[in-house]
Amino acid sequence: MNAIHAKTLVLDTHIDIRWPETPDWTQETRQLVDLPKMRQGQMSAAIFIAYVPQGRRDASGHAQATVRAEAMLQHIRNRATAPGTRFCATPDALEACFAAGDTAVLSAVENGYAMGHDLSRIAAWRALGAVYLTLTHDGHNEISDSARPKANLGDAPSEHGGLSAFGETAVAEMNRQGLMVDVSHVAKSGMLRAAQISRTPVVATHTACVALCPHPRGLDDEQLDALRACGGLAQITAVPAFLKSPPPNAPAQADVADLVDHIDHAVARIGLDHVGISSDFDGGGAVAGWANAAQCEAITLELLKRGYGAREIGLLWSGNFLRVWRQVLRFTP
């Protein structure tokens, strides 16, 4: 194991879990992330996701989504009952966990659909330990337009013209409660508006650079600039289709070098302090060389090969995210 990698707090900011059938994560599983794989790859910490797919926007749909999200948050919290693990809901707790040699479990909610019109869920999710809320997923919701509308749900290309009025109120409440605003999946208009109005930095927890691969889930240079302007982060992720355009009639394929190309572009465009790393493992992420949590060292080695040093690698893996997270928690209206 590379000495720099071994000494680095390696934080993956977006990992999905199976639901409702959840295999025992303390054992080797078919999932790309479980506790043995994390320990093999020295992945120090993982933000596991309470993901809610977009559904019907009525009282019943919203209620079911809320129940699912909160059951998943509780399940993720319970993962940290395994020996040698800790549930962490603050940066200080995460750093103490790493210093003790334990594996950190963190949580977040993906898709603001899960709150319906109930802003009180934001405080409830933070109380359960959630780090961030991804405002949308695929499909518009009450908060914002999505980068990928869902025709089967009746979505027009744009519904709100970005954030809705409710969405702006939700962002303000997230700021007040110390819940990070995640703009992954959000339409460009909504993402730019969130970056403009949020009183704390916003983060794209799993994204890539449109300049290298045109994909609706990526960020173009104007969006990257907006993240820099608000003090936020672009966490480059390992979804092949975000990193490299597919050949005709074939799925996208990418490797570690392709992922680090996107890191290089973002660093050159907006500076090292505004870039990080995520996998989206078990949610579509996996590239040749970094195909599961056991292979995290490959990213570190590719960064070293390109001239990044121990300090820079530490910032990309976790330091930048921790700094922004602290800013979010320090905010007082």
Side-chain angles (χ1 to χ4, degrees):
M1 182 66 66
N2 176 270
I4 289 174
H5 186 76
K7 293 177 181 178
T8 299
L9 198 173
V10 173
L11 167 65
D12 189 329
T13 59
H14 196 91
I15 295 171
D16 282 275
I17 63 172
R18 273 180 52 187
W19 191 264
E21 297 177 359
T22 54
D24 180 1
W25 88 295
T26 67
Q27 306 297 317
E28 285 281 358
T29 69
R30 294 183 180 180
Q31 299 296 103
L32 302 185
V33 181
D34 51 39
L35 190 54
K37 292 185 185 75
M38 287 181 69
R39 287 174 171 162
Q40 183 180 344
Q42 294 198 321
M43 181 187 283
S44 318
I47 302 180
F48 293 106
I49 304 305
Y51 158 68
V52 177
Q54 186 62 40
R56 292 177 55 182
R57 288 155 58 186
D58 56 23
S60 175
H62 287 140
Q64 291 176 45
T66 301
V67 169
R68 171 180 164 129
E70 293 176 9
M72 293 181 78
L73 286 175
Q74 191 60 60
H75 164 81
I76 294 165
R77 192 179 188 105
N78 290 342
R79 287 188 166 200
T81 58
T85 68
R86 301 187 193 187
F87 184 79
C88 298
T90 66
D92 287 351
L94 175 54
E95 290 185 329
C97 179
F98 177 66
D102 289 339
T103 301
V105 174
L106 301 90
S107 69
V109 178
E110 186 171 30
N111 197 355
Y113 169 63
M115 79 168 67
H117 298 93
D118 184 0
L119 291 174
S120 73
R121 303 333 302 156
I122 293 170
W125 296 340
R126 181 62 197 138
L128 284 168
V131 174
Y132 64 76
L133 168 63
T134 312
L135 298 182
T136 70
H137 195 258
D138 292 344
H140 306 324
N141 63 22
E142 303 303 314
I143 293 173
S144 179
D145 292 345
S146 169
R148 293 194 286 196
K150 295 194 78 170
N152 66 320
L153 291 176
D155 287 351
S158 176
E159 178 178 335
H160 307 293
L163 290 186
S164 67
F166 173 74
E168 297 202 5
T169 304
V171 168
E173 181 65 6
M174 291 169 69
N175 291 166
R176 194 171 77 86
Q177 296 295 339
L179 196 63
M180 279 182 162
V181 177
D182 179 18
V183 293
S184 308
H185 286 281
V186 178
K188 179 178 178 177
S189 53
M191 178 269 165
L192 292 175
R193 182 62 176 161
Q196 179 185 41
I197 68 167
S198 178
R199 297 177 69 184
T200 64
V202 306
V203 181
T205 64
H206 53 307
T207 191
C209 302
V210 165
L212 300 187
C213 178
H215 191 283
R217 277 281 288 104
L219 300 177
D220 65 22
D221 285 349
E222 181 184 5
Q223 291 172 285
L224 289 174
D225 292 347
L227 288 177
R228 176 179 56 194
C230 76
L233 292 174
Q235 301 284 113
I236 304 302
T237 201
V239 177
F242 299 0
L243 301 174
K244 198 169 183 179
S245 297
N249 304 313
Q253 295 184 338
D255 60 19
V256 165
D258 296 313
L259 189 151
V260 179
D261 285 346
H262 284 251
I263 292 174
D264 283 345
H265 176 82
V267 168
R269 179 77 190 189
I270 60 176
L272 178 80
D273 290 343
H274 302 286
V275 186
I277 303 167
S278 70
S279 67
D280 204 2
F281 283 148
D282 295 315
V287 296
W290 194 31
N292 58 55
Q295 298 178 353
C296 293
E297 185 184 15
I299 300 293
T300 299
L301 294 176
E302 182 68 20
L303 291 167
L304 284 166
K305 187 169 79 173
R306 299 194 189 198
Y308 293 88
R311 185 187 74 86
E312 292 83 6
I313 289 169
L315 291 174
L316 290 168
W317 268 124
S318 60
N320 291 334
F321 191 89
L322 286 167
R323 185 193 71 251
V324 170
W325 191 8
R326 284 194 165 96
Q327 286 180 256
V328 170
L329 294 179
R330 279 199 303 265
F331 174 75
T332 52

